Amino acid sequence: MTVVQPLADCWADSMRRSMQPTATPRASKIRWQIAGLAGLGTVITNIDRSTISVALPFMSHDLHIPPIIEGLVLSWFFLAYAIVLLPAGVLVDKFGARLVYGIGGVLWGIATLATAAVTGIVSLLGLRLLLGVGEAAQYPSCIKATQQWFPLRERTAATGLWDLGARVGGVITLPLVAGIIGVAGWRTAFVVVGALALIWAIGWLIEYRAPSEHRRVNAAERALITEGSEEQPTERTKPRWVELFRHRSTRALILGYFCFNYTAYFFITWFPSYLVKERGFNLLKLGFFGAIPGLVAVFTELSSGFLQDKFIGMGRNPIKVRKGFIVIGMLISSVIALAVLVPSAGVALALLTLSYGALLVGGPSLGTFPSIYAPQGSQIGALAGVQNSAGNVAGFLGPIVTGAIITVTGSFIVPLLLTGGIALLGAFTFLVILPNRSSNRALDEALTA
């Protein structure tokens, strides 16, 4: 009995251990669901803001809008967007991405729905302003959510995922809105896309929480998220976002993002009109061929985000990797100017596709810069707001400048040459003016370790 009992106890203990998991629990993947939900919001913001670009040739006929006013209509959204981005970034730092992004979704959804009822230029411009106010919440909220939900080594891919929504939205907008207009008219198009925004806003407010508060995040994922979380603010003093302008990196991001967006927003605003007016595309061709540049941009941006993280994972300097991708992309993007030299509509579309696809190689880089160059972790949202505000000044000025030049010259030649030159200026800015070191000393030591 004295021999059998210990053996029985040993066997029972062994069985208990074999029935218990010995491996470390795998981290849950809720952070990627959050990035996907943020990206869905980006898709919808870009559908809502871009619907006007597809509908405008038909709205102009019904509402008697001349070309110079068309440029004003396209740009008016960006005026409010650029101005409100500054306080939006501060509000995200103070109240969080959940509340600011959710309320923004409600506002831009209402503005889009109401556009279906416009009867004149004044009401149209007013709703474009309200749309800009609501959508200003998107960019700083997504950057803040990425900083809160992802470790440093995954942020480029996560940023590429939600920022990819801008390209997906552009791809969807042309066939979706052109199809709705063809079947039910331009007013119905605004009703459909406005309803999408309200549905998404409700979903975001229900689902989004901080990692520490989210019920479906396990301990392993929380540990992964905080891995290398060196930029969490420890300061007790309240930072002022105005102080950001003292840094060379802030000024470089302002100029660089202005150039990036000036180029990008040609495709969001005047590109459909270019295909219709300059290259003779009808509604069917516009809906089919006009989606090609956006499809290519979806692939290049998504690939760029994962490639950048791969290079960083191999030990390359994160700042130099992200700068390198955006510089190369903007250099190639300047081929937009060559589209004016070719008589073939197909070759012109190919050049524009190369331009847009190359430009978006740098898209994931832009979203990571605020978390790199913010002097304090509590200023990430503010710097994101400043950066994106400057970029959307280009969104405001670009359509007006293009419309004015077309009114004077009667063609897109000068606007495309100007856009190519601005892309080159952006490449120079990110290569030469933007520093190779972070503005946060602790983060810079971590990046260069």
Side-chain angles (χ1 to χ4, degrees):
M1 188 73 174
T2 57
V3 175
V4 173
Q5 185 63 43
L7 288 173
D9 292 342
C10 182
W11 177 83
D13 185 59
S14 176
M15 288 296 295
R16 281 195 300 270
R17 287 198 304 269
S18 66
M19 296 175 65
Q20 294 176 352
T22 56
T24 303
R26 298 181 64 180
S28 51
K29 304 289 186 180
I30 305 303
R31 64 193 185 282
W32 293 107
Q33 296 177 25
I34 292 295
L37 185 59
L40 180 59
T42 308
V43 171
I44 296 172
T45 60
N46 281 270
I47 291 175
D48 284 14
R49 76 177 63 168
S50 302
T51 296
I52 191 77
S53 301
V54 183
L56 192 56
F58 310 96
M59 296 174 68
S60 299
H61 179 268
D62 293 346
L63 303 178
H64 309 290
I65 304 175
I68 188 68
I69 302 299
E70 284 183 334
L72 186 62
V73 169
L74 290 170
S75 68
W76 210 239
F77 157 85
F78 296 104
L79 176 63
Y81 191 61
I83 293 172
V84 178
L85 270 167
L86 294 173
V90 177
L91 289 173
V92 169
D93 283 333
K94 185 173 183 180
F95 296 108
R98 175 177 177 264
L99 189 62
V100 176
Y101 203 3
I103 293 175
V106 172
L107 287 178
W108 90 64
I110 292 173
T112 305
L113 279 169
T115 304
V118 297
T119 57
I121 295 172
V122 174
S123 58
L124 178 59
L125 291 176
L127 289 171
R128 295 297 291 172
L129 285 176
L130 180 60
L131 182 70
V133 171
E135 291 201 4
Q138 177 263 324
Y139 191 79
S141 295
C142 286
I143 287 180
K144 193 70 174 181
T146 303
Q147 181 263 342
Q148 191 173 31
W149 271 90
F150 286 86
L152 187 65
R153 60 183 173 85
E154 291 183 342
R155 287 181 192 168
T156 317
T159 300
L161 181 59
W162 61 254
D163 192 54
L164 187 68
R167 262 46 67 192
V168 173
V171 170
I172 293 173
T173 299
L174 276 166
L176 173 66
V177 176
I180 295 173
I181 292 173
V183 173
W186 61 266
R187 293 185 187 274
T188 304
F190 285 102
V191 172
V192 172
V193 299
L196 289 176
L198 294 178
I199 294 170
W200 173 86
I202 293 171
W204 175 263
L205 288 168
I206 292 173
E207 175 63 18
Y208 188 86
R209 295 291 187 278
S212 59
E213 300 171 357
H214 202 288
R215 63 188 182 280
R216 292 188 288 114
V217 177
N218 64 16
E221 185 172 20
R222 289 194 181 98
L224 187 151
I225 289 170
T226 57
E227 176 186 298
S229 183
E230 68 296 306
E231 72 250 49
Q232 294 294 329
T234 58
E235 299 89 343
R236 295 293 182 181
T237 59
K238 182 179 179 181
R240 295 187 301 169
W241 64 266
V242 180
E243 296 174 355
L244 294 170
F245 293 96
R246 298 176 183 174
H247 294 266
R248 171 184 162 189
S249 57
T250 301
R251 299 190 293 272
L253 290 176
I254 288 172
L255 178 58
Y257 204 27
F258 178 94
C259 297
F260 182 93
N261 263 15
Y262 192 99
T263 308
Y265 278 120
F266 172 82
F267 293 92
I268 296 172
T269 57
W270 278 104
F271 177 64
S273 294
Y274 169 80
L275 294 182
V276 172
K277 296 180 178 179
E278 194 84 355
R279 295 296 179 175
F281 281 40
N282 57 29
L283 188 60
L284 179 61
K285 285 185 177 180
L286 176 64
F288 182 77
F289 292 105
I292 293 175
L295 284 171
V296 172
V298 166
F299 172 77
T300 57
E301 180 163 18
L302 187 61
S303 301
S304 173
F306 284 100
L307 279 174
Q308 289 186 48
D309 280 346
K310 184 174 181 63
F311 283 126
I312 292 169
M314 293 167 59
R316 305 289 178 86
N317 183 287
I319 296 179
K320 292 182 179 180
V321 168
R322 288 160 179 164
K323 283 182 59 174
F325 271 74
I326 196 169
V327 169
I328 292 171
M330 294 196 74
L331 284 173
I332 298 174
S333 184
S334 64
V335 301
I336 190 174
L338 300 180
V340 303
L341 303 177
V342 297
S344 167
V347 176
L349 181 61
L351 288 169
L352 292 170
T353 299
L354 175 61
S355 174
Y356 197 34
L359 182 71
L360 268 298
V361 165
S365 301
L366 284 168
T368 64
F369 285 153
S371 63
I372 291 174
Y373 290 105
Q376 300 178 24
S378 56
Q379 292 176 311
I380 291 171
L383 182 56
V386 169
Q387 172 184 278
N388 209 29
S389 177
N392 285 280
V393 169
F396 171 67
L397 293 177
I400 293 178
V401 171
T402 299
I405 295 173
I406 292 171
T407 300
V408 173
T409 66
S411 78
F412 281 80
I413 293 176
V414 176
L416 289 180
L417 290 173
L418 176 62
T419 303
I422 289 175
L424 291 175
L425 175 60
F428 174 83
T429 301
F430 285 115
L431 177 64
V432 177
I433 303 177
L434 187 65
N436 288 327
R437 300 183 67 87
S438 169
S439 300
N440 183 317
R441 181 175 298 178
L443 175 59
D444 191 61
E445 290 175 355
L447 292 175
T448 56

